[in-house]
Amino acid sequence: KNQILAGAFTDVSWSRYRFLGLAFGKKFPNTFYGIGNETLEADAEDYTDRSLSILAIPQRKVRPNLYVGPVIWFEAHSLTDLEANGRIATGNLPGTAEGYQVLGLGGMMTWDTRDHNTYPTRGSYYELWAAGYNKSVGSDYGFTALEVDLRQYIPLSDNRTVAVQALLNSVSKHAPILSYPTLGDNNLRGFASRYTDRALFVLHAGYRHRFQNRWGLALFAGVGDVAPTVSDLSPNNLKFGAGIGVRFMLIPDARLNLRFDLGFGSGGNASSEFIPGEAF
């Protein structure tokens, strides 16, 4: 599909400081099914997102394992290759009428006791961040975003680990649709951009087995859903996803894996990923 994705991510620590950064550009043909948790396969329409994302989070350790710092998040999007008379082409949805940029400023608090930031096998990672996007700082849309990310890593042996994550993500009204949280990718494998809305909740777990050489195996399963607001999230319509993955350790000293995951979701959904790094 002539997809191009290129970027870099860093997570470095020194003394009492830590810096998380991301620079990412893409030309990515994708499919839009609509907003909500009951979209239909027949509603699919294609589009291409040409975008640039830059994220900077400098943090300072204020107590053992506790870091705080500001969040700066910039994104620029341009949607092309739209289907004639489609919902995106009409420009009625926020962020579809023309190219735009958003700039969010906020803060993040992190509790981190993991033994490693790339492939943890024990410890906890709890993250809370919030950001406001305001036209006064150059954002074309004004809205707020919130994320709560809770992870636990439980060692079963030297080479076997169970990882668990609970994730809550939301944006307020007037956010462009590409800022909406979407079920799939790293948060619930087995879905590929099928369900998107302003609020998302996911609970999932994975079993990770490292062999004596560079190869590894992963099994994963979870539930999740999207809704217009956090208060609308309900256990009555949860989506289920599960699958299997293969790992190859690219850089042993950095514990950096190349992973291939194949997931299957309820409602006949499926997804695959081939990318460096664990899902969480």
Side-chain angles (χ1 to χ4, degrees):
K1 295 185 177 181
N2 294 317
Q3 295 165 327
I4 301 172
L5 302 94
F9 174 75
T10 183
D11 180 355
V12 295
S13 302
W14 70 98
S15 183
R16 299 179 61 85
Y17 299 94
R18 178 182 185 185
F19 179 77
L20 292 87
L22 170 74
F24 193 80
K26 65 182 179 181
K27 172 197 169 189
F28 196 79
N30 209 339
T31 304
F32 177 70
Y33 296 90
I35 307 298
N37 59 9
E38 296 182 355
T39 57
L40 302 176
E41 185 75 27
D43 294 333
E45 60 183 80
D46 294 329
Y47 71 96
T48 297
D49 177 25
R50 300 170 184 262
S51 64
L52 171 68
S53 301
I54 299 175
L55 171 67
I57 307 175
Q59 291 186 307
R60 186 180 189 274
K61 184 188 292 186
V62 294
R63 291 188 178 182
N65 306 314
L66 181 63
Y67 298 81
V68 297
V71 172
I72 305 168
W73 198 325
F74 171 83
E75 293 183 64
H77 293 269
S78 176
L79 303 185
T80 61
D81 305 323
L82 309 181
E83 289 193 10
N85 303 316
R87 286 158 297 178
I88 294 181
T90 62
N92 295 326
L93 295 170
T96 60
E98 56 186 0
Y100 70 91
Q101 64 183 32
V102 290
L103 176 61
L105 303 175
M108 186 167 99
M109 179 170 59
T110 306
W111 172 266
D112 191 355
T113 65
R114 296 173 299 173
D115 62 337
H116 201 275
N117 61 356
T118 304
Y119 188 87
T121 59
R122 64 181 69 242
S124 306
Y125 181 86
Y126 305 147
E127 171 191 297
L128 169 65
W129 74 263
Y133 297 76
N134 198 291
K135 294 183 179 181
S136 64
V137 296
S139 181
D140 291 333
Y141 290 87
F143 62 100
T144 58
L146 170 72
E147 181 175 281
V148 180
D149 186 351
L150 308 176
R151 311 179 196 178
Q152 192 71 38
Y153 302 92
I154 306 164
L156 302 181
S157 69
D158 289 342
N159 60 349
R160 295 181 299 146
T161 303
V162 171
V164 182
Q165 181 186 38
L167 178 67
L168 177 68
N169 200 319
S170 71
V171 296
S172 64
K173 270 186 175 183
H174 310 302
I177 60 170
L178 292 184
S179 293
Y180 286 15
T182 299
L183 206 64
D185 300 328
N186 288 341
N187 60 53
L188 188 60
R189 286 158 287 179
F191 298 87
S193 306
R194 175 65 180 274
Y195 304 106
T196 184
D197 213 328
R198 295 199 310 271
L200 171 145
F201 173 75
V202 165
L203 176 63
H204 62 159
Y207 168 79
R208 300 169 182 175
H209 187 110
R210 291 184 298 121
F211 299 106
Q212 296 301 319
N213 52 27
R214 291 188 173 191
W215 292 96
L217 177 71
L219 303 173
F220 50 86
V223 295
D225 202 8
V226 297
T229 66
V230 172
S231 60
D232 292 322
L233 290 166
S234 168
N236 298 327
N237 197 29
L238 289 175
K239 313 295 187 297
F240 175 77
I244 187 170
V246 177
R247 303 290 184 267
F248 179 76
M249 190 166 288
L250 285 173
I251 307 174
D253 289 344
R255 296 193 196 176
L256 179 61
N257 280 333
L258 180 66
R259 67 181 174 95
F260 173 72
D261 286 341
L262 184 61
F264 299 92
S266 52
N269 288 279
S271 70
S272 62
E273 284 187 297
F274 184 65
I275 193 170
E278 290 299 323
F280 65 92

